[in-house]
Amino acid sequence: MSRRSNNKTDEEMSIGTSLAEAPTVVINNSSFKKTVRKYDVDEHYDNDNDNDNSVSSNSVEYSQEVKKNLHERKVNETVRRALVMKRLDGATPGTSSNPGKANAKVDNADASSLYPLSVATGDAVKSQEGGQKGGHGPGGLESVYEGDGDEAIDEQKLHGLLNTSKPSLIGSPTSGRRKFWFIIAIGLASIGVIMGGLFAAGVFGTDSSSSSETGLDYISVLESISDRTLMETPDTYEYNALQWIENEDTLMLESTDELALRQRYIMALFYFALNGESWSLNMGWLLGVSECKWYGVSCNSSGQVGSIEIESNRLKGQLPTEITSLPSLYEVNVRNNQISGPISPLFADLTNLTVFVLEDNRFNSTLPVDLFFISSLKVLIVSENDLEGSIPSMIEELQELETLNLAGNSFEGDIPEEIGSLEKMISLDLQSNKLSGEIPLSLGSLNSLGEVLIESFCN
């Protein structure tokens, strides 16, 4: 077989330089039955010793399949790693004192260590009889015979096989450790995501009935006027009012200031229960100022709420019964809004109440009998609602009453004779109801009565 010229190209010189420190590896396979073209790798190492340390007569046969797959699966990296490891071990058989010319002959048994696991089997280096030129040779490797492409292509294959840019990490202990810690990291991250989702869903979250220490102190004060269960149940008006005081109110009241805490909670509850965000006017409400400065609220000299007067302001919902726990409240005027529900009998607890105006809303049910025992009441206007029932005879208990307006409801029955005992009565309006019977003669004895509107619904 003729040798190539010693005049090397730039590519060959670069190959020789890159291989200068690597031993020659030759796979011996005595079972090859075809004569294959020799690669004189020593030409890359030493121009002056063309006859020394020549490559063995056997060479690797390559298959078309491996040519496509082995390079794609980093065979180059694996071979390079094997070469470097062999050199570092210093135990390669047949290595001379000159590593640039050292020849390490590796038989079939050693050859499998130079290939990745995908081809590192006995079959990877076994020969197959009947291999043909340009076909599939030993172990599925393509045979590189003379005439199978030009020398430049063959050298390029050899250069690609031996001169890889980085070693493979297949099977290295470092790779194993990295994989282990990578799996651990992925596992912990997954657990974190799952736990975060469970906490967000409330599976491991705090019970909805639980509160902070401050919240519990507040509840212990407020449960005398408001249902504890409602204060601990999210999305109720009571809960929202409590949360605002505990977490948003800049005044940050102490639980020991029980009177101030109750009053501020009641007014916040009034706001939430009657849809305060939609009011036409809500200046000052839920701001870091005294509730006495909130729109429609007035206080006495002691800072206690005395009057709630919010007319025509789009209040909607039900009046919270907690406002009956304001000890100094003397006026409630919510005329011309959209307040609904029954009138609570607890308003009778407001012993200082003098003005009670619920006109033009959507109150229903009957007038609580208890209202007629508020001895301080002077003005009772509940006209233009959906009230029904009869006018009770105990109305005579309202001896301070000056104005009574029950018009525009569905009251029925007789007008009680006792109404004539209200000596301070100035105005009486009972029109647009379903009353029957005669007008009491006792009304003629009311010297202060200036206006009487009853219409002719009475027979």
Side-chain angles (χ1 to χ4, degrees):
M1 185 179 210
S2 64
R3 287 197 169 273
R4 290 180 297 176
S5 172
N6 287 338
N7 296 325
K8 301 178 182 178
T9 65
D10 291 342
E11 180 182 3
E12 290 175 322
M13 290 298 293
S14 64
I15 294 174
T17 301
S18 62
L19 297 179
E21 298 298 327
T24 301
V25 178
V26 178
I27 301 175
N28 292 328
N29 193 334
S30 59
S31 61
F32 285 5
K33 293 187 177 182
K34 279 288 240 181
T35 300
V36 298
R37 183 169 62 82
K38 299 177 182 179
Y39 275 91
D40 191 355
V41 181
D42 271 6
E43 286 186 358
H44 297 290
Y45 303 148
D46 191 356
N47 291 335
D48 299 328
N49 297 311
D50 290 339
N51 297 324
D52 296 338
N53 300 321
S54 61
V55 180
S56 174
S57 61
N58 291 330
S59 182
V60 179
E61 292 185 351
Y62 293 84
S63 70
Q64 185 67 27
E65 179 181 1
V66 173
K67 181 162 59 178
K68 293 179 180 179
N69 296 330
L70 291 188
H71 288 282
E72 295 175 0
R73 300 187 182 184
K74 300 185 178 179
V75 171
N76 297 347
E77 297 176 359
T78 307
V79 172
R80 177 68 175 173
R81 174 179 171 274
L83 293 173
V84 173
M85 294 303 294
K86 288 289 185 180
R87 195 193 73 176
L88 293 178
D89 290 343
T92 305
T95 302
S96 67
S97 60
N98 186 350
K101 297 182 179 181
N103 294 321
K105 295 185 178 182
V106 185
D107 59 17
N108 288 341
D110 294 331
S112 62
S113 65
L114 299 179
Y115 292 88
L117 296 179
S118 59
V119 297
T121 63
D123 293 336
V125 293
K126 287 181 180 179
S127 63
Q128 295 179 354
E129 295 190 16
Q132 298 180 4
K133 183 176 181 179
H136 293 79
L141 301 177
E142 180 187 358
S143 299
V144 183
Y145 300 104
E146 293 188 65
D148 186 21
D150 56 36
E151 292 184 359
I153 296 177
D154 292 339
E155 287 189 9
Q156 185 176 3
K157 291 180 180 179
L158 180 60
H159 182 273
L161 179 64
L162 296 179
N163 190 29
T164 183
S165 60
K166 57 182 179 179
S168 170
L169 296 177
I170 296 177
S172 69
T174 302
S175 175
R177 287 193 296 271
R178 289 178 179 174
K179 289 180 180 178
F180 172 77
W181 289 113
F182 177 76
I183 293 172
I184 292 297
I186 292 298
L188 291 176
S190 301
I191 293 174
V193 171
I194 294 173
M195 294 298 290
L198 293 176
F199 273 106
V203 175
F204 298 115
T206 57
D207 193 325
S208 61
S209 63
S210 65
S211 299
S212 66
E213 183 176 351
T214 301
L216 292 175
D217 291 340
Y218 285 164
I219 290 175
S220 66
V221 174
L222 299 174
E223 63 182 347
S224 61
I225 61 174
S226 200
D227 190 299
R228 183 187 185 107
T229 301
L230 294 177
M231 287 189 289
E232 295 177 332
T233 303
D235 297 327
T236 63
Y237 302 129
E238 292 80 1
Y239 177 87
N240 292 338
L242 177 62
Q243 291 300 307
W244 175 77
I245 290 178
E246 180 183 352
N247 301 315
E248 300 180 40
D249 187 9
T250 57
L251 291 188
M252 295 182 289
L253 297 176
E254 295 291 339
S255 60
T256 54
D257 192 355
E258 297 184 3
L259 186 61
L261 177 60
R262 289 194 187 100
Q263 177 171 287
R264 199 160 179 84
Y265 167 78
I266 291 171
M267 298 311 297
L269 177 57
F270 184 91
Y271 177 88
F272 285 111
L274 295 175
N275 196 28
E277 291 184 353
S278 299
W279 294 355
S280 300
L281 299 172
N282 56 9
M283 291 83 75
W285 284 81
L286 302 191
L287 296 181
V289 296
S290 169
E291 56 273 18
C292 298
K293 297 181 179 180
W294 295 356
Y295 173 77
V297 179
S298 299
C299 297
N300 58 24
S301 58
S302 300
Q304 297 180 348
V305 173
S307 172
I308 300 175
E309 186 177 3
I310 308 178
E311 299 183 9
S312 306
N313 202 38
R314 299 173 60 183
L315 276 63
K316 184 177 182 179
Q318 295 189 14
L319 278 177
T321 58
E322 284 81 357
I323 67 173
T324 63
S325 296
L326 295 171
S328 298
L329 189 63
Y330 63 86
E331 179 182 12
V332 175
N333 183 353
V334 290
R335 188 196 310 266
N336 190 25
N337 285 290
Q338 301 175 44
I339 304 174
S340 59
I343 299 173
S344 174
L346 293 177
F347 280 101
D349 295 337
L350 294 172
T351 57
N352 294 317
L353 187 63
T354 59
V355 178
F356 195 40
V357 181
L358 307 180
E359 182 181 7
D360 198 8
N361 280 282
R362 300 174 182 176
F363 290 100
N364 52 34
S365 191
T366 62
L367 271 178
V369 176
D370 306 71
L371 290 180
F372 298 98
F373 292 97
I374 304 175
S375 59
S376 61
L377 193 60
K378 294 182 178 182
V379 178
L380 177 58
I381 302 176
V382 293
S383 57
E384 305 301 330
N385 281 284
D386 298 320
L387 299 172
E388 57 187 10
S390 61
I391 300 174
S393 59
M394 64 275 305
I395 194 173
E396 63 180 350
E397 299 294 331
L398 300 176
Q399 289 299 310
E400 299 295 323
L401 193 63
E402 298 175 356
T403 301
L404 177 62
N405 189 340
L406 307 179
N409 286 286
S410 298
F411 290 111
E412 56 188 6
D414 296 340
I415 300 175
E417 187 71 26
E418 291 79 3
I419 200 171
S421 65
L422 303 177
E423 297 180 355
K424 296 183 179 181
M425 180 80 71
I426 298 174
S427 175
L428 175 63
D429 190 350
L430 303 178
Q431 63 181 334
S432 301
N433 280 289
K434 300 178 180 180
L435 298 171
S436 59
E438 297 181 354
I439 296 176
L441 295 177
S442 58
L443 289 178
S445 63
L446 297 177
N447 297 327
S448 60
L449 188 59
E451 182 181 36
V452 178
L453 298 174
I454 298 178
E455 294 185 340
S456 60
F457 285 100
C458 298
N459 295 324

